[in-house]
Amino acid sequence: MAVRGPPGIRFLQWLGLTPCWDRQKVYQLWTLFLTFLCYTSYHLSRKPISIVKNELHKNCNTTDHNTSAANCSSWKPFDDSNYESMFGDLDTAFLFAYAGGMFFSGHIAERSNLRYFLVLGMLSSGLMTALFGLGYYWNIHTLAFFVIVQAVAGVVQATGWPAVVTCVGSWFGKGRRGFIMGLWNSHTSVGNILGSLIAAAFVSTNWGLSFIVPGIIIASIGVLAFFFLVTEPREVGIVMEEKTRTDSYTVQADEPTVPDSEPLLGEEIKPLSGGPSNPKAISFLGALKIPGVIEFSMCLFFAKLVSYTFLYWLPKYIRDEEDYSPTVSGDMSTLFDVGGIVGGFLAGTISDFTGGRATCCVVMLVLGAPMLYVTQAVFQTGPSTTTAIGMLAALGFLVNGPYALITTAVSADLGIHKSLKGNAKALSTVTAIIDGTGSIGAAVGPLLAGIILNKAGASQRAAQWDNVFYMLMASDVLACLFLLRIFVKEIKGWCAACCRQETSNAT
């Protein structure tokens, strides 16, 4: 069968290099791997700013030789006393632009060539990331330059998530989606870790390279995606069974799961015209009517608020509390993402086994709030390195687990609602709504942290960090509350199933 699709795939076909075993499995694994690389590079390129903050404004009240009085010149304009507010401006510019761009990117992705859309976004992201670093070589000290670059970077970075989730959702069914996407979603933490390590390697000597190197990496992977990314099975002549792509197991009426068996709110279930072979884009309002979209979107708002506050401020927090160098603070912050990898994977796997996506999220959120309190209390006492490592990893496990589950498996479940009749392209809009709402929370969290920290001088910094953690605990609780309806439904479903089993055994 002649292979269509990306030029790299066509070239391999021309050379006679075709899969020697199950073609579908080969392309599924390849799509997972390549989209993993793509989104790893997205996070890798957005992480350096959190590491470089400690270099743009150095803490001169330290015994570390790298920031001694003789070598303690901050980068203008971040040498001003209100530097936290300036850092907040950078974070806000990126994250609000990212959130706004996310709501539009899903609609654009549905109506365009997905591979071109993703590659253009990656090349643009690489350019804007490198441009921020070039400010070092061009000796730029104007805040407006860095804010504008961050804002444009936020818009182009919004191209990534709807595109990669749609690609994966087109190739994989629902039965093991939590396991597969839980493992695949480790790209977020892997990208954060690699971005931290790369940025930390250059931050003390040449912080411009902390941005330029990640920019080159994401652009290079974008070129690879242009030649080899297969966005859906029919591009390479593969016809997947409907149950393989959408529903790989039958859901009972009261079975605990994401409520995709419910009709659209206020509507009867009607198939979209055209079917899978001629998919029709879903409207924004139609996506909002899918049961569970609003609840999970609002839960993600607060869950992502917590996660991104750590993404942008954790290295600064570690440096303030433990007086480490910028390089060590950046390296230590990666432990949060190591815990997040395990949390996302276990949350997806357990939710596959139990059918309780919301229940897994609620349990981790309930445990996350007290863990936030314990972490802040322990770090104030000057913990040992081993204790600090354990606390950061545990916190990442509980904070990133629900966030990872909602942005992957839950978004894919809701994006292939029964009424969509296998229309995988609708995934882009549903994913954009959920992650776009979460991205607004991701913008609000770092902004509020900057405002809170800017209220105090260095002598009162510990007290203000307490207030930041109280904000994060409150957000964790609110995220949990938005899932109560679905959580109760899942519990009732389990109880009903147990009762049916007992009745069956009795007869």
Side-chain angles (χ1 to χ4, degrees):
M1 179 181 293
V3 176
R4 303 179 296 277
I9 298 296
R10 295 200 304 269
F11 179 69
L12 292 177
Q13 171 70 7
W14 180 76
L15 292 176
L17 299 177
T18 57
C20 58
W21 53 292
D22 191 330
R23 292 180 66 245
Q24 178 177 314
K25 295 296 183 184
V26 170
Y27 282 115
Q28 283 179 320
L29 291 174
W30 173 244
T31 301
L32 272 183
F33 174 72
L34 189 50
T35 53
F36 181 95
L37 285 183
C38 288
Y39 212 70
T40 294
S41 68
Y42 269 98
H43 265 263
L44 181 149
S45 65
R46 73 179 64 161
K47 180 64 176 177
I49 185 63
S50 67
I51 306 298
V52 176
K53 282 178 180 177
N54 284 324
E55 183 68 17
L56 295 177
H57 185 93
K58 296 182 179 180
N59 179 12
C60 299
N61 299 319
T62 179
T63 58
D64 181 64
H65 71 277
N66 288 326
T67 53
S68 60
N71 185 29
C72 196
S73 58
S74 299
W75 186 269
K76 293 182 180 182
F78 303 102
D79 58 344
D80 198 75
S81 59
N82 67 334
Y83 68 94
E84 287 105 338
S85 178
M86 294 184 184
F87 289 152
D89 291 340
L90 294 180
D91 297 341
T92 300
F94 177 88
L95 291 168
F96 274 107
Y98 179 83
M102 183 64 70
F103 285 107
F104 293 101
S105 65
H107 290 280
I108 298 173
E110 282 189 22
R111 294 160 174 81
S112 62
N113 184 300
L114 202 59
R115 180 165 52 88
Y116 292 165
F117 178 77
L118 177 63
V119 171
L120 179 61
M122 296 181 73
L123 295 177
S124 302
S125 296
L127 174 63
M128 300 315 298
T129 302
L131 191 59
F132 194 105
L134 288 174
Y136 173 86
Y137 293 95
W138 295 341
N139 203 29
I140 295 176
H141 298 280
T142 304
L143 179 63
F145 170 82
F146 297 106
V147 170
I148 291 172
V149 169
Q150 283 290 86
V152 177
V155 173
V156 296
Q157 283 258 332
T159 57
W161 192 240
V164 296
V165 171
T166 301
C167 289
V168 175
S170 298
W171 280 100
F172 290 92
K174 184 176 178 181
R176 301 180 65 195
R177 184 176 291 145
F179 169 80
I180 292 169
M181 285 193 156
L183 184 61
W184 173 76
N185 190 64
S186 62
H187 52 49
T188 298
S189 296
V190 171
N192 290 340
I193 292 170
L194 293 177
S196 297
L197 294 177
I198 292 172
F202 301 107
V203 64
S204 297
T205 56
N206 185 340
W207 63 259
L209 289 176
S210 296
F211 292 92
I212 293 173
V213 172
I216 293 173
I217 291 174
I218 186 173
S220 301
I221 296 177
V223 173
L224 180 66
F226 173 78
F227 284 102
F228 294 102
L229 179 63
V230 182
T231 59
E232 57 181 335
R234 62 179 180 173
E235 282 191 4
V236 288
I238 294 177
V239 179
M240 298 175 65
E241 294 182 13
E242 190 66 22
K243 66 176 183 179
T244 302
R245 186 171 58 179
T246 56
D247 286 307
S248 55
Y249 61 87
T250 302
V251 179
Q252 299 296 328
D254 53 2
E255 184 179 345
T257 185
V258 175
D260 61 347
S261 56
E262 298 179 15
L264 298 178
L265 297 179
E267 297 180 0
E268 296 179 357
I269 291 183
K270 297 178 182 179
L272 295 174
S273 61
S277 61
N278 184 26
K280 176 183 177 182
I282 190 174
S283 68
F284 186 87
L285 182 60
L288 283 177
K289 290 180 178 181
I290 298 175
V293 167
I294 294 177
E295 289 100 322
F296 278 108
S297 295
M298 292 308 301
C299 175
L300 187 62
F301 175 95
F302 291 103
K304 208 165 181 180
L305 183 154
V306 177
S307 181
Y308 267 65
T309 300
F310 282 114
L311 175 68
Y312 281 88
W313 285 99
L314 184 56
K316 185 67 176 172
Y317 169 71
I318 294 173
R319 180 147 168 78
D320 284 349
E321 292 290 335
E322 302 302 320
D323 200 25
Y324 290 134
S325 70
T327 298
V328 174
S329 298
D331 292 342
M332 286 282 289
S333 69
T334 63
L335 297 166
F336 179 83
D337 293 295
V338 172
I341 293 174
V342 180
F345 172 71
L346 287 183
T349 303
I350 294 172
S351 68
D352 273 349
F353 180 75
T354 62
R357 308 282 200 216
T359 302
C360 284
C361 291
V362 167
V363 169
M364 299 183 84
L365 290 168
V366 167
L367 295 175
M371 179 57 71
L372 285 164
Y373 177 82
V374 171
T375 299
Q376 172 63 351
V378 169
F379 266 77
Q380 286 181 342
T381 64
S384 65
T385 302
T386 302
T387 302
I389 290 173
M391 297 297 295
L392 291 172
L395 193 61
F397 177 90
L398 295 173
V399 168
N400 283 346
Y403 159 39
L405 183 61
I406 293 173
T407 55
T408 54
V410 170
S411 295
D413 288 349
L414 296 173
I416 308 181
H417 186 275
K418 279 189 174 183
S419 64
L420 303 176
K421 292 296 181 182
N423 178 11
K425 294 192 75 174
L427 265 171
S428 297
T429 297
V430 174
T431 300
I433 290 173
I434 294 175
D435 200 55
T437 304
S439 296
I440 297 176
V444 170
L447 173 64
L448 292 179
I451 293 174
I452 293 171
L453 293 172
N454 197 41
K455 290 182 178 180
S459 60
Q460 300 175 304
R461 188 60 48 77
Q464 294 306 319
W465 274 116
D466 283 343
N467 291 333
V468 171
F469 271 77
Y470 293 147
M471 174 195 74
L472 298 179
M473 283 182 263
S475 299
D476 212 284
V477 172
L478 289 171
C480 183
L481 292 177
F482 274 103
L483 291 186
L484 281 182
R485 182 189 73 85
I486 303 176
F487 169 69
V488 170
K489 179 182 178 181
E490 289 177 352
I491 296 298
K492 287 182 177 179
W494 284 325
C495 292
C498 289
C499 289
R500 288 196 302 269
Q501 184 65 37
E502 290 179 359
T503 302
S504 176
N505 292 338
T507 57

